[in-house]
Structures are given as C-alpha cells and as structure tokens.
Amino acid sequence: NGSEAPDPWDLVKTVSLRYADVKARSGRFPQTEVRGRVLQLIHKFDGWILAGVVGFLSAVSGCVITKGVNYVAKVRTGVPWSNWEPWADYFGIADEKHLVGYAAYVMAAIVFASLSAFFVRQFAPKARGSGIPEVKTILGGFMMDEVLSAKTLAIKCLGLALSTGAGMSLGKEGPLVHVACCWANILSNFTVKYSHHEGKRR
C-alpha cells in the first residue's frame, strides 16, 4: 500500500524525565503554616523514609513467604487439620505405609506446583520467573506494564510460597528483589518527589 513500516523504537515505551514539573510541584507547599513546614520536611527526607519502609515491608514479605513455604512443605508429609498426623495413619492404612506416604508426598507437591502455575498464568503473567531481567530492563529506562504492580506483588509472594514449598529447585533470593521493587514502585506513588519523576523513581 506504499506506507512505510513503523520504526521498532517507536513502539518501545521509555521514561519521561519531567524535571520542571517536579520542581514546580515540590514548591507548592505553603511556607507559613505548620502543616506546610512539616510537608516540606517530609519531602526533604522522603527518600530515606521510603527506603526504610520498603526495607521493612520487603522483610515482612520474606517472612510471610518463608512461613508459607514451611507450611506447604509440612502438608506433604502430614495432615494439617489432624495435628500433622501422617497421611497413612489419617486414612487408617496400616500396610505399605511408606508407599502411601510417598504417594501423598508426590501428589501434594504436584498440586501445589500446579496451583502456583495456575495463579501466575491466570492472574499475573508478569510474576513469572525471578523478575531480575525485567527489573534490570526497567532500571535501564524502559516501561513494562504490570511488572511492578500490586497484583504482581501478591501473586509473586503466593506463587513463590507454593512452588518452593512444593519442593521445586527454586530460590527466594532473586524473586525477593522483584518483591522489593514492587513495594518501592507502589509506595513511590504516594510521594511528590518520586510519583512524577521517573528518573528519581529508578
């Protein structure tokens, strides 16, 4: 039809560094009122405050994930609603108890791993993998939708607990970097300095 093909770089979303807009917004605090001075003080130190809150919430997320991993791992060997009684004893099977325990162990692992895959595929596909390549891409200045959203954060934590607790050869260290970046992105939307400045946000 004679039309030129679009430049591939035109389809890539990158950050916009709006220094003037951020500077104008940061100067809108009233100068005489006590509330204005408090807001100015918070604005001055919000980088330190944000870093502390992100670190705290990341640690809480790590603790919750570890608790979930331990719980899921215990379900593979015992019944949670029967004081962790072995599966063979719970069903009253006296013969070949080791085979019943092994079958329950394998089936529980398959169920939890499948649930993890289902939640990620159905609700937050961007939560798959470690998240490190995506985070590095975003730090390079590119925009990736939903990678650092609250939904991705929730599914990341849930899927990580299920898959690691199922016995898969996975680690929590890499994904926790993604979790921390999700918290940082979510909380930065509540600050003047970072909510409208993509460069400082990174």
Side-chain angles (χ1 to χ4, degrees):
N1 54 10
S3 60
E4 297 182 0
D7 188 344
W9 284 104
D10 293 337
L11 305 178
V12 178
K13 294 194 296 183
T14 57
V15 300
S16 175
L17 307 180
R18 307 189 318 202
Y19 293 100
D21 180 57
V22 174
K23 186 176 181 180
R25 288 175 177 270
S26 62
R28 291 178 184 175
F29 299 126
Q31 302 294 324
T32 56
E33 300 178 0
V34 175
R35 179 175 177 272
R37 293 183 179 181
V38 171
L39 291 176
Q40 284 183 330
L41 187 63
I42 294 176
H43 177 68
K44 185 177 181 179
F45 295 101
D46 59 358
W48 295 98
I49 297 173
L50 184 63
V53 175
V54 168
F56 173 76
L57 292 177
S58 300
V60 171
S61 300
C63 291
V64 171
I65 292 171
T66 300
K67 292 289 187 181
V69 169
N70 294 336
Y71 183 86
V72 171
K74 289 179 66 177
V75 172
R76 291 186 293 163
T77 59
V79 185
W81 56 85
S82 185
N83 199 24
W84 302 108
E85 182 182 12
W87 287 98
D89 295 342
Y90 178 77
F91 288 109
I93 300 175
D95 299 331
E96 305 295 342
K97 297 176 64 173
H98 61 286
L99 291 178
V100 176
Y102 177 76
Y105 187 90
V106 172
M107 289 300 299
I110 292 174
V111 168
F112 289 129
S114 300
L115 283 174
S116 175
F118 171 77
F119 287 135
V120 171
R121 182 179 178 84
Q122 189 71 23
F123 300 107
K126 297 299 176 65
R128 65 183 183 273
S130 67
I132 299 296
E134 290 83 355
V135 169
K136 292 174 69 175
T137 301
I138 292 173
L139 291 177
F142 295 91
M143 304 288 290
M144 298 185 70
D145 296 333
E146 299 294 328
V147 173
L148 301 179
S149 65
K151 182 172 65 174
T152 299
L153 171 63
I155 297 299
K156 188 82 172 186
C157 294
L158 177 61
L160 189 58
L162 289 173
S163 57
T164 307
M168 300 181 69
S169 182
L170 302 171
K172 300 189 292 293
E173 294 79 8
L176 279 176
V177 174
H178 189 188
V179 169
C181 291
C182 288
W183 278 120
N185 180 67
I186 294 169
L187 294 176
S188 64
N189 293 321
F190 297 96
T191 65
V192 175
K193 183 184 297 183
Y194 300 104
S195 60
H196 299 283
H197 197 308
E198 293 291 347
K200 284 186 176 292
R201 184 192 292 253
R202 280 153 176 75

